[in-house]
Amino acid sequence: MTVTDPPSAAVPTGRRVRTSEPLHHEVVEHLEDEARLLDDGDLMGWLQLLAEDIVYRAPVRVTRAPGDGDPFETEMAHYDENAMTLFLKLMRLSSTSSAWAENPASRTRRFITNIRVHETEEPGELHVE
């Protein structure tokens, strides 16, 4: 199963996978397993789960008047990573002592909620929010 989130903030156009469907439960289990790897500090295990064409991005939210467009900035992000940049960052975190910002490790809480799954035009690929 490949779980992806396209780089654009476009509304998915494929069929919505309902929460009662087994596929939806598979996606939720995948996200829970992913969170467990991160909680256990298994960064390389987490990296192996990711698709080679991953876009891992947190766009900056901007305040706009209602109806003035997308509240997320398209040109600016808190981070905008791909498989290579994630690999380099994780190598630094796991194999060097120079990642001082993570010593002691950050306290992280993960919430896996409000999951929406849509099919895409690509067989075996899903849009997950």
Side-chain angles (χ1 to χ4, degrees):
M1 169 182 9
T2 302
V3 179
T4 65
D5 189 18
S8 70
V11 176
T13 57
R15 182 187 75 85
R16 173 120 185 234
V17 178
R18 298 289 173 206
T19 57
S20 59
E21 295 180 52
L23 180 58
H24 191 278
H25 294 284
E26 283 184 51
V27 169
V28 172
E29 286 177 358
H30 175 85
L31 295 171
E32 292 168 343
D33 292 344
E34 178 183 24
R36 183 57 186 230
L37 287 170
L38 293 169
D39 288 343
D40 290 346
D42 186 358
L43 301 178
M44 291 306 163
W46 175 76
L47 190 64
Q48 291 174 2
L49 290 179
L50 306 180
E52 290 179 15
D53 62 348
I54 185 170
V55 174
Y56 193 72
R57 186 171 199 273
V60 172
R61 189 175 182 101
V62 293
T63 303
R64 294 194 169 114
D68 276 355
D70 192 346
F72 294 99
E73 182 61 47
T74 58
E75 300 297 321
M76 190 170 29
H78 296 286
Y79 53 83
D80 190 358
E81 309 293 343
N82 60 35
M84 179 54 72
T85 59
L86 285 170
F87 174 77
L88 292 172
K89 287 179 184 227
L90 295 182
M91 286 300 296
R92 180 172 172 251
L93 276 172
S94 64
S95 64
T96 71
S97 60
S98 65
W100 58 268
E102 288 299 314
N103 188 9
S106 297
R107 292 186 177 118
T108 305
R109 183 175 286 178
R110 300 182 208 292
F111 296 95
I112 301 172
T113 64
N114 303 333
I115 299 164
R116 295 184 307 179
V117 180
H118 289 84
E119 294 176 341
T120 68
E121 294 177 8
E122 193 69 34
E125 187 172 289
L126 302 169
H127 176 101
V128 179
E129 296 177 311

